[in-house]
Every structure is written in structure tokens, then in C-alpha cells.
Amino acid sequence: MTSQHTDRPAVMRAVSQDRFGGPEVLRLTERPVPEPGPSQVLVRVHAAGLNPTDWKHRSGRRFLGDPPYVLGWDVSGVVERVGIGVTLFEPGDEVFGMLPYPHGAGSFADYVTAPTRALVRKPVGIGHVEAAGVPLAALTAWQALVDTAGLAEGQRVLVHAAAGGVGHLAVQIAVARGARVVGTASEGKHEFVLGLGAEEVIDYRAVDFAAELDGLDVVLDTVGGDYGVRSLDTLRPGGTLVTTLPVGQEEAIARARERGMRAAAMLVEHDHAGMSAVADLVSRGLLKAHISEVFPLSRIADAHRAGETGHTTGKIVVDVAGG
């Protein structure tokens, strides 16, 4: 048995693709509005954040198998209908969160179903567009720094790509936990990263960070490639490297073990406790997503193009309700 909030249309807009390729494969389609199952809610999507995993799946590097499918894991919206057994939310509640990764995708649509505990109440002080830029990136940072590395007050942490989606939220989470933060970023983004609370920013284009830093407690690598191996030179014995790009990091993990360090390769997971902690930081003004660009749903291909430049500061968000 489900509970209904308002009259809903029978069909909705959804961005789908039937083949792998560039942004041009994305198309606006009509699909039936889904029904929430047990322990699920139906969310009327107001905004959905865009993340690198979206364009990687679109282009073929994927966990989801072959299309057709609707991408999008970040969501902020309003509960429209609840499935059997749901006690946390009622129709009309404003919520945000990350759909289960990877198989729960689907937020680039007017409606999406989600497990209740993938969501938390949206902080009243922010709108849906800003909220949609938070979940996946902030959960990645939280799970890397807090759950995996156990970052503690007074420790020193290096955040690579500190002006990026995960990076700029990781800097704020680390600062909120009393850590001292060094970031890497291009020169033009140093002021932005320092404004987040970092004590130092290194221009990765001009300076070898591995030669400049040592004795760190934690490194968060969101870049991949040889950054993991190089970052080991910055860590103290017993320090921890966490990479959010787990494929191809076998060498870094093996070398860390040889040197008495820890290296962990992680994928983000939907996480009610983590989202609750993130929402608390947002409510207290300690965590804020920087939204660099906003696109309507009808221009999602342009949003992908903007993201794939690799130069975004903060996050790109798709304003679903606004177009």
C-alpha cells in the first residue's frame, strides 16, 4: 500500500541513451512514472548533480552493463509517494541523497524511486540546486577521510584536485574535523581552495608535490594514474593513502604495504549515517557545495561537455524542475 501526495502524471521526462558514445547519445525521452516498492519512496526530482562517473558510464567505462538506462546518482527533491514499511518520510518532505551506487542510477528524470535510507531531509537553509551538488562527492570524501582513514583532529592531510567536486568538499570536511589541509590545484584556483580552509595549496603544474611534502598522516587521491605511488613519498610511516579511483592502483597498494603504510582503493556507497553527518555539517554552515554551472534537463548534453573539460571548480548541477 502506498501513500500519495499529489496527482501525478502517468509519464515523465527522462534522459536516456541506447548506445555508448559522446554527449550526443543522450536524449530526452518519456517513460512511465515508477511506483515505489517496499521501503522505497518516489521522489519528484528538483535537481540532480552531475559527476565524472556519469560521463564515464555514458561513454562505455561502466558497471551498469549495456544501455538503455537513465544515469544520475545525486538527487534533491520532494517525496511524492511512499512504499510499504516506510516510516522516515511522508509525502511532501524535502529530501536529498545519493541513489545506491552503481545500480540505483536514474535521477536525470522528473521522478525516481529510492531506498528510504539512501536519503535524508534537505537542510532548510539551502535550495535544491545546491543540495543536489552535495551527496555523491561529499559521501566519497566522508567515507574516504572519516570511515577509511579515520582522520583525527590535528592530523595533516593532502587533498589532490582540491578545487574539484570531491576535493573541495573533502577540504571542508577535513577542516571541520580539526585537520590541517594541504591541497593541490592549478594556480588560478589557489584563492578558492584557501578560502575553503586549506593552509597551503601547491600548483601541481609547476611543483612536484612529492618533493615538497612529507610526514603527512593522510592523502586523498581523486586523480588516479601515478598520483597514488607518488603520494606515498609524502606520508609518514603508518600513514594512509585513500584513492577514489580503485582500478589500476595495485602498485600503490603493494608499495604502501612494503613501506609500513596503508593504501585503500574505495568506491562510494549509499550511506544513511554518512548522509546524516554530511547534512549536519551543511546545516551548521561547515560544508557548502560550490555550484559552478547549472543546466536545464533539456541541455544535459551540454552539462556533460562542460564536465568533461576537467576544469570545473566544484560541481555542475542539472535543474530538473526548472527545465
Side-chain angles (χ1 to χ4, degrees), residues 17 19-22 53-67 69:
Q17 63 183 94
R19 60 190 173 91
F20 297 119
T53 191
D54 290 296
W55 56 79
K56 290 178 181 179
H57 277 83
R58 185 213 70 222
S59 63
R61 293 163 287 178
R62 78 281 188 191
F63 298 117
L64 296 180
D66 293 329
Y69 44 61

Side-chain angles (χ1 to χ4, degrees), residues 223-305:
V223 178
D226 67 351
Y227 266 58
V229 171
R230 293 169 59 202
S231 293
L232 296 178
D233 288 337
T234 71
L235 284 170
R236 63 168 173 80
T240 300
L241 164 71
V242 184
T243 177
T244 61
L245 296 125
V247 177
Q249 294 301 313
E250 295 81 7
E251 183 181 358
I253 292 171
R255 288 196 186 185
R257 188 179 300 115
E258 292 170 0
R259 298 170 63 171
M261 300 168 179
R262 181 187 177 212
M266 64 161 281
L267 285 176
V268 66
E269 302 174 65
H270 77 284
D271 171 7
H272 190 259
M275 269 308 303
S276 296
V278 164
D280 177 64
L281 291 176
V282 173
S283 296
R284 293 160 54 199
L286 300 176
L287 184 64
K288 179 180 175 65
H290 174 81
I291 309 302
S292 62
E293 293 184 87
V294 180
F295 293 84
L297 191 65
S298 59
R299 290 185 56 209
I300 194 167
D302 290 332
H304 275 241
R305 292 185 184 99

